[in-house]
Amino acid sequence: MKRRVVITGMGAVTPLGNSLEETWQGVREGRCGIGPITAWDASGMKVQLAAEVRGLDVTAHIPKGEARKMARFTQLGLIAATEAFRQSGITPENTNLNRCGVMVSSGIGGLPVIEEEHGKGLQKGWDRISPHFIPMSITNMAAGTIAIRLGLRGMCSSVVSACASGSNAVGDAFRQIRDGYADAVVCGGTEAAITPLAVGGFTSMRALHEGTDPSRASIPFDKERSGFVMGEGAGVLVLEELHHAKNRGAQILGEVLGYGSTCDAYHITAPAPGGEGAVRCVAEALADAELSPREIGYINAHGTSTPLNDRTETQAIHAVFGENPPPVSSTKSMMGHLLGASGAVEAIVTVMALKEGFLPATINYREPDPECNLDPIPNQGRSTLVTAALSNSLGFGGHNATLVFGRYQEV
């Protein structure tokens, strides 16, 4: 018998705010977290905009000496995980920490550290780079640091599947608990790769928006969309077996109902025609949740604001849900694309949408695209109570992940 898996804690650091509360308030307000790049002087580059985490005092959360030995993606992940774990109320007294794991992913990891230390090596010699370079830059270190900080001794993993990484981490954690390998897992994604090298690389691919107006930069499903906006941040959830959570009196925020994960096996960057891999992924997640398409009341789309992705995802949604799919929105319109953290942050948004009875908007939507014939919840969120929703993540390499969430209900 499959064990039910619930959510008992969530934490977030995003372009909309430095906590779950601030981020959700920004989503409800339909605020845009996109602005001019401040991390370096980007005046000579084609891309001028990004969705940066702003106003975060890292040393208010992590001692300065420790923070100096962590890449930014690890710092953000640890801050979000600490918030989620605190909300969960898990302690050594009420939980066997040997059965509590960590699955926190990143798509790119410590790229800023790699750039900085490479420059130092060129200037001062390769034997003069930081002794912390390797542990700071490797992608699993956010998960490892979180496990160390929280004392969690179960499975500790970091799946890397590009922009599906965060969703895969949540889905894999769900299966660990459902199938009896763990009682609780801290899971999600973190990313901090707004650097000259990363922006330059995505620019050369013609993947990024190159305009200067934040209100027309990340506009998923809009006919005038022209590329995504890079974002940074972290989203972390605490998943827990239902009876374990109830026995210790935890507040239950929502429930994970199903998970699908597929590969297009088609192209390193382009999605399969018609979204074939995404169609199978959504269908797999619905079957796992034992739900029919008509029981889904909201879809948080991958919705990157690239011409090809939005069109293909629309085709996939219609293939599963028919001519009249449920409302679909992309919160990347507010936060940009958080790459490996996007799926985890969007999972949190989807859980909050179910919990609060509020469907987020796709902001700055202006020009309907006949090839994206969806209800994108344009510009203004809706107070609507739904019982089940899903979140899509589609990554380079043909990685697809779909999570199905439900409002928690006693059975």
Side-chain angles (χ1 to χ4, degrees), residues 367-386:
E367 297 293 334
D369 184 349
E371 293 189 304
C372 297
N373 54 333
L374 302 167
D375 171 8
I377 316 181
N379 303 313
Q380 186 70 44
R382 296 175 189 163
S383 295
T384 304
L385 196 63
V386 300

Side-chain angles (χ1 to χ4, degrees), residues 73 104-110 139 142 158-162 165-166 188-192 340-341:
F73 84 103
V104 174
S105 296
S106 180
I108 294 178
T139 308
S158 176
V159 60
V160 179
S161 49
S165 299
T190 180
E191 201 80 87

Side-chain angles (χ1 to χ4, degrees), residues 73-380:
F73 84 103
T74 298
Q75 295 172 350
L76 300 183
L78 180 57
I79 292 168
T82 302
E83 180 185 17
F85 198 68
R86 185 183 301 117
Q87 185 183 37
S88 77
I90 289 176
T91 68
E93 290 71 36
N94 63 34
T95 300
N96 178 358
L97 299 186
N98 291 333
R99 288 184 54 81
C100 189
V102 179
M103 292 187 177
V104 174
S105 296
S106 180
I108 294 178
L111 183 61
V113 177
I114 295 171
E115 290 185 45
E116 180 180 347
E117 294 301 320
H118 182 263
K120 187 186 298 182
L122 288 173
Q123 292 177 352
K124 299 182 179 181
W126 299 108
D127 294 335
R128 299 290 300 278
I129 63 176
S130 170
H132 303 293
F133 165 56
I134 297 299
M136 286 175 72
S137 59
I138 54 179
T139 308
N140 68 300
M141 197 47 65
T145 300
I146 290 165
I148 293 167
R149 171 64 69 88
L150 302 179
L152 309 180
R153 297 183 294 270
M155 180 178 179
C156 184
S157 176
S158 176
V159 60
V160 179
S161 49
C163 304
S165 299
S167 289
N168 279 137
V170 175
D172 290 350
F174 162 65
R175 288 178 176 170
Q176 283 280 312
I177 298 168
R178 185 189 64 184
D179 296 340
Y181 296 103
D183 294 327
V185 180
V186 175
C187 59
T190 180
E191 201 80 87
I194 302 175
T195 73
L197 185 60
V199 171
F202 280 116
T203 300
S204 296
M205 291 177 63
R206 299 184 178 179
L208 298 182
H209 173 76
E210 297 182 8
T212 57
D213 180 1
S215 70
R216 298 302 291 162
S218 183
I219 48 173
F221 307 116
D222 190 296
K223 190 175 183 178
E224 295 181 351
R225 67 190 184 280
S226 62
F228 73 84
V229 174
M230 283 191 67
E232 63 176 353
V236 175
L237 305 87
V238 177
L239 306 190
E240 193 169 348
E241 192 274 325
L242 173 61
H243 295 297
H244 186 277
K246 291 176 70 174
N247 287 342
R248 63 179 190 83
Q251 178 190 15
I252 296 175
L253 307 175
E255 184 169 1
V256 187
L257 301 177
Y259 169 47
S261 182
T262 66
C263 181
D264 289 357
Y266 173 73
H267 189 270
I268 59 171
T269 56
E276 184 273 337
V279 170
R280 287 186 291 109
C281 190
V282 173
E284 184 179 294
L286 289 172
D288 193 42
E290 299 181 350
L291 294 177
S292 68
R294 66 177 179 275
E295 292 176 277
I296 299 297
Y298 166 66
I299 298 172
N300 189 293
H302 188 56
T304 60
S305 187
T306 61
L308 186 58
N309 175 88
D310 294 2
R311 181 172 68 249
T312 304
E313 189 173 9
T314 299
Q315 293 168 348
I317 289 170
H318 280 294
V320 176
F321 293 93
E323 293 184 3
N324 297 297
V328 178
S329 69
S330 172
T331 40
K332 289 183 179 70
S333 59
M334 306 179 205
M335 291 184 266
H337 193 348
L338 276 60
L339 306 178
S342 60
V345 171
E346 288 156 13
I348 289 171
V349 169
T350 305
V351 172
M352 290 299 295
L354 290 164
K355 180 176 180 291
E356 301 291 321
F358 181 85
L359 307 185
T362 303
I363 68 168
N364 296 319
Y365 183 83
R366 184 188 300 168
E367 297 293 334
D369 184 349
E371 293 189 304
C372 297
N373 54 333
L374 302 167
D375 171 8
I377 316 181
N379 303 313
Q380 186 70 44

